[in-house]
Amino acid sequence: MTSMRGVLLPGDSTVEPVTREVPEPGHGQVLLAMRASSICGSDIRAIYREHLGRGPEAYQGVVAGHEPCGQVVAVGPGCRRLTEGDRVVVYHISGCGLCEQCRSGYLIGCTDPSRAAYGWQRDGGHADYLLADETTCLTMPDSLSFVDGALVSCGFGTAYEALLRLGVSGRDSLLVTGLGPVGLAAAMLARAMGVGPIVGTDVSEERLRLAGDLGLVDDAVLADDGAADRVVELSGGRGYTATLDASGNATARHLALSSTATWGRCAFVGEGGDVGFDVSPMMIHKQVTLHGSWVTSVSHMADLIGHLDRWDLHPERIVTDTFTLDDADKAYQLADRGTSGKVVITFP
Ligand SMILES: [Zn+2]
Ligand SMILES: [Zn+2]
């Protein structure tokens, strides 16, 4: 096969199908047959509706999709680890490999001009094939499905990193504001790490129901005017030792921070927007630590893949809707509504 299907996002809430040549792997690169390519909130927020991104989020008209998972079908010269048939998760940014951030594994933080995120500045996973740098590929155990792998490549990795930043353990209670895919991921992983009780909030009744039905939260609270009182009441009045905002909404961020217990930790993960709060009562006098957490490192992603295998945990559980590449427009319309679980494009 010499040509393949792909999908671009022109930025006016539409999806543009294109035909491309199947690329050939260069030095240190592999060609992946795509098996699963999920949609992330960032795709909706910064590309699909309109091209909002600047710098690392600037969309450069490439094949979309930054949550790719596939199988190696061709290996370029100079590859040292991967062979044909390997099933891999793609860490969704390739960095320069030499700067401080790259050397610590946080390719996301690379500021070299050569940095390129799949689906933003270099072709991503919404195509039959993806050209990937070997250094960005992580092999998966047989126990994980390709859909599991796609979900790890951004969303679950991002949720895991925030939980590491919060240092959660079985001694913690957790509040998650925003029960979209990243919030659901955080709840699922926190549960596996022994955290409890876990309470979640969202503005969407559908998302509250999904989180409850999946058993990922002990209580799901509608984010209305009474949410702050209800959330603290559910913690026995003490607040939560760990809180995590996955919504990016100012009211939800405020709720996460105000519901953090004295000496507790809070992480902001949801992107965009702003927040305002009274610093003394909400942070200083409560001895609160506030973290910003962006994606994860390659090594933490590899750790997570190993944990999922040992914990017998499947990210795929939060998938509510699956589409083929030919129906990518329907997949994006649904994801844009913000009421579903994870939406994935698969390649049957
Ligand atoms: Zn993402
Ligand atoms: Zn770098």
Side-chain angles (χ1 to χ4, degrees), residues 192-343:
M193 292 158 92
V195 175
I198 299 173
V199 174
T201 68
D202 203 285
V203 290
S204 157
E205 299 267 14
E206 287 100 318
R207 283 187 160 168
L208 295 175
R209 208 172 312 122
L210 178 65
D213 289 351
L214 291 172
L216 298 180
V217 295
D218 297 292
D219 285 286
V221 177
L222 185 66
D224 59 12
D225 292 347
D229 291 341
R230 178 93 187 102
V231 158
V232 170
E233 187 187 310
L234 285 167
S235 73
R238 290 186 303 274
Y240 300 79
T241 56
T243 57
L244 186 159
D245 175 67
S247 75
N249 174 278
T251 306
R253 280 181 181 139
H254 196 279
L255 177 62
L257 194 57
S258 68
S259 309
T260 307
T262 301
W263 289 106
R265 301 90 68 203
C266 175
F268 285 172
V269 181
E271 295 244 32
D274 56 17
V275 65
F277 54 87
D278 292 336
V279 173
S280 286
M282 281 182 61
M283 271 194 82
I284 296 175
H285 299 172
K286 289 203 313 183
Q287 315 273 14
V288 161
T289 305
L290 176 60
H291 299 269
S293 187
W294 193 25
V295 188
T296 189
S297 67
V298 178
S299 61
H300 286 162
M301 192 171 281
D303 288 348
L304 173 60
I305 291 169
H307 294 325
L308 293 173
D309 184 36
R310 281 190 298 281
W311 295 339
D312 192 22
L313 211 62
H314 292 278
E316 193 168 349
R317 282 186 66 217
I318 70 162
V319 172
T320 49
D321 301 272
T322 303
F323 295 86
T324 63
L325 192 61
D326 293 329
D327 285 330
D329 57 336
K330 296 192 184 78
Y332 270 85
Q333 280 165 25
L334 178 66
D336 189 18
R337 239 175 274 156
T339 54
S340 62
K342 193 71 169 178
V343 179

Side-chain angles (χ1 to χ4, degrees), residues 94-103 106-115:
S94 59
C96 72
L98 297 170
C99 71
E100 193 183 354
Q101 291 303 304
C102 282
R103 285 191 158 148
Y106 289 87
L107 313 189
I108 181 74
C110 178
T111 54
D112 189 82
S114 65
R115 175 202 192 272

Side-chain angles (χ1 to χ4, degrees), residues 7 9-15 37-53 57 59 64-67 119-120 126 154 180-181 207 247 271-272 323 328-345:
V7 157
L9 298 175
D12 51 0
S13 297
T14 60
V15 161
S37 181
S38 37
I39 296 174
C40 173
S42 295
D43 294 320
I44 300 292
R45 179 181 58 82
I47 310 180
Y48 175 68
R49 291 176 189 155
E50 53 181 323
H51 296 173
L52 280 184
E57 282 197 335
Y59 175 65
H66 71 268
E67 300 193 338
W120 299 80
H126 294 348
C154 175
R207 283 187 160 168
S247 75
E271 295 244 32
F323 295 86
D329 57 336
K330 296 192 184 78
Y332 270 85
Q333 280 165 25
L334 178 66
D336 189 18
R337 239 175 274 156
T339 54
S340 62
K342 193 71 169 178
V343 179
V344 186
I345 293 169

Side-chain angles (χ1 to χ4, degrees), residues 161-172 193 242 265 291:
E161 180 73 22
L163 295 173
L164 291 183
R165 213 65 69 77
L166 290 168
V168 297
S169 74
R171 297 182 300 162
D172 285 302
M193 292 158 92
R265 301 90 68 203
H291 299 269

